[in-house]
Amino acid sequence: MSKEHEQGMSLIVKTITRLTVGLILLYGIYIVSHGHVSPGGGFAGGVIIALSFVHLMLAYGKEVALSKLPKQASSFFESMGAIMFLAIALLGFTGGYFFLNFLSKGEPFKLFSAGVIPLYNIAISLKVGAGLFAIFVALVLLKFESEKK
Amino acid sequence: MLELYILLIFMIVAAVVAVEIKDLLSSVVAVGAVGLALSIAFLVLKAPDVAITQLVVEILCLIILIRATLRKDLPFSTSGRWFLNTLITVIFISLFLMVAAKCFKDLPEFGYPTMKVASTYLKEGFEKTGAANIVASVILDYRAYDTLGEATVLFTAVIGVLAIVRRIGRKKVGEKVRDEDEPR
């Protein structure tokens, strides 16, 4: 089993993964960006984005997945999402209070509507996606090391 | 409502199987069946937001359980005082059911009436926030403090896992760590 951490799975799995992993990532981005008009939102979309990288890691091994999204990058994105969420909330003080929806509401049912809610969704998705992928990588590397001994 | 009860019975059966079965992989699969039935139940109750989140989180948890933490040969300890354990379990469950039967009589009917605060959100949420998805307007506008706390919890959890599991955190006293994955 530990060989799969290095080289990934068989050719069939790799081919199917190459075809589908982009679509999964795109679907996650769609769920995030349309979180305020359709079911979904930052958390669910972020988990789907993390799942696309997990998929890549299961099929191709840890080297390929970590070259697409290194550990430093995932920790950067996670902290960035948290800071972005707080910063947007703090920007509400320009109009009065914390968490104020200070942008214009726009036209309902359009993509650019609902003020700052889509920005909150994007921040949460960065945080959740990068954080869950980092946890997965850490646990897989832990198991890999303990099997090697 | 019938499909909801079928799903509930299926979930209870799958949960009992997950606890009682000997093989660990089968147990994890049974836990996944519970999660799948729960997400379908959310869909039946017309909560697609929660259903999507439940489904994807369940998938990620299953992958982590199977791939990252499960070993082939973890033994189960089932020997010992099974009679006393079963007796205590039965006593506690019957006690709980008796108290629950008394309490559930006073509760309002399932789903009725909608609470006061929630009905305000439903009435004014669309005009005040402009978000067509009412769930987004609640969790990111009215209840944004909740979301902030939840984000903090997740952030702390990730930091905790990374701090405990990374290579530097597990070195012995006096051991030199040379790991290509760690930033220097």
Side-chain angles (χ1 to χ4, degrees):
Chain A
M1 200 180 206
S2 63
K3 209 177 69 184
E4 289 179 2
H5 287 296
E6 299 286 353
Q7 296 163 357
M9 297 186 182
S10 68
L11 182 67
I12 301 169
V13 180
K14 280 184 182 173
T15 310
I16 299 291
T17 302
R18 200 168 60 228
L19 295 175
T20 55
V21 76
L23 293 178
I24 296 173
L25 181 63
L26 207 62
Y27 182 63
I29 294 171
Y30 164 79
I31 291 268
V32 171
S33 59
H34 288 249
H36 55 293
V37 288
S38 64
F43 194 89
V47 179
I48 293 175
I49 290 173
L51 276 175
S52 72
F53 285 103
V54 166
H55 190 177
L56 202 64
M57 183 153 180
L58 290 182
Y60 279 89
K62 70 171 186 182
E63 298 296 332
V64 175
L66 285 183
S67 71
K68 301 278 183 215
L69 188 68
K71 272 167 125 184
Q72 285 92 334
S74 53
S75 61
F76 170 78
F77 279 129
E78 209 221 344
S79 317
M80 207 60 214
I83 291 176
M84 204 173 130
F85 190 84
L86 270 180
I88 299 167
L90 279 175
L91 277 179
F93 275 122
T94 54
Y97 51 89
F98 206 53
F99 280 122
L100 174 67
N101 198 342
F102 60 91
L103 290 178
S104 75
K105 305 286 185 293
E107 198 180 336
F109 298 104
K110 289 282 165 58
L111 184 56
F112 293 101
S113 66
V116 293
I117 289 180
L119 298 179
Y120 283 143
N121 269 332
I122 290 170
I124 291 177
S125 74
L126 278 181
K127 231 191 78 53
V128 170
L132 291 183
F133 182 66
I135 287 185
F136 179 75
V137 168
L139 287 177
V140 164
L141 290 185
L142 175 71
K143 189 194 175 200
F144 178 48
E145 274 183 17
S146 66
E147 273 180 0
K148 220 164 34 174
K149 276 167 197 165
Chain B
M1 287 301 273
L2 179 65
E3 62 268 28
L4 195 62
Y5 287 118
I6 293 173
L7 282 170
L8 284 178
I9 291 170
F10 176 74
M11 278 162 61
I12 292 172
V13 171
V16 171
V17 168
V19 173
E20 285 298 326
I21 207 163
K22 294 281 187 295
D23 186 24
L24 264 187
L25 187 62
S26 313
S27 174
V28 169
V29 171
V31 171
V34 176
L36 178 68
L38 183 61
S39 85
I40 297 175
F42 282 136
L43 208 58
V44 169
L45 291 172
K46 297 185 177 56
D49 280 274
V50 195
I52 289 175
T53 310
Q54 166 67 29
L55 192 63
V56 292
V57 170
E58 190 67 38
I59 290 171
L60 188 66
C61 287
L62 272 191
I63 289 177
I64 287 182
L65 275 181
I66 290 177
R67 187 68 198 178
T69 60
L70 200 64
R71 298 268 182 80
K72 276 257 168 68
D73 48 353
L74 277 179
F76 257 51
S77 67
T78 50
S79 59
R81 303 170 297 178
W82 63 271
F83 178 73
L84 192 65
N85 293 351
T86 316
L87 190 69
I88 291 175
T89 311
V90 168
I91 287 175
F92 267 100
I93 287 179
S94 50
L95 208 66
F96 174 76
L97 284 181
M98 267 155 55
V99 175
K102 262 194 149 58
C103 294
F104 285 171
K105 269 185 210 152
D106 299 337
L107 285 182
E109 205 184 330
F110 182 64
Y112 293 95
T114 317
M115 281 172 288
K116 251 187 185 168
V117 183
S119 65
T120 312
Y121 291 165
L122 288 179
K123 257 183 251 156
E124 300 180 354
F126 183 59
E127 293 101 46
K128 281 207 171 172
T129 65
N133 182 3
I134 199 81
V135 177
S137 79
V138 170
I139 66 169
L140 292 173
D141 200 301
Y142 289 111
R143 296 283 174 89
Y145 279 108
D146 263 352
T147 311
L148 179 62
E150 181 191 317
T152 316
V153 168
L154 189 65
F155 192 69
T156 318
V158 172
I159 288 179
V161 168
L162 290 185
I164 292 173
V165 161
R166 66 181 177 159
R167 186 70 186 84
I168 286 179
R170 287 179 289 122
K171 69 170 182 178
K172 307 256 173 15
V173 178
E175 186 188 0
K176 281 264 197 263
V177 171
R178 201 198 65 75
D179 195 339
E180 65 272 13
D181 293 321
E182 296 290 339
R184 290 185 183 88

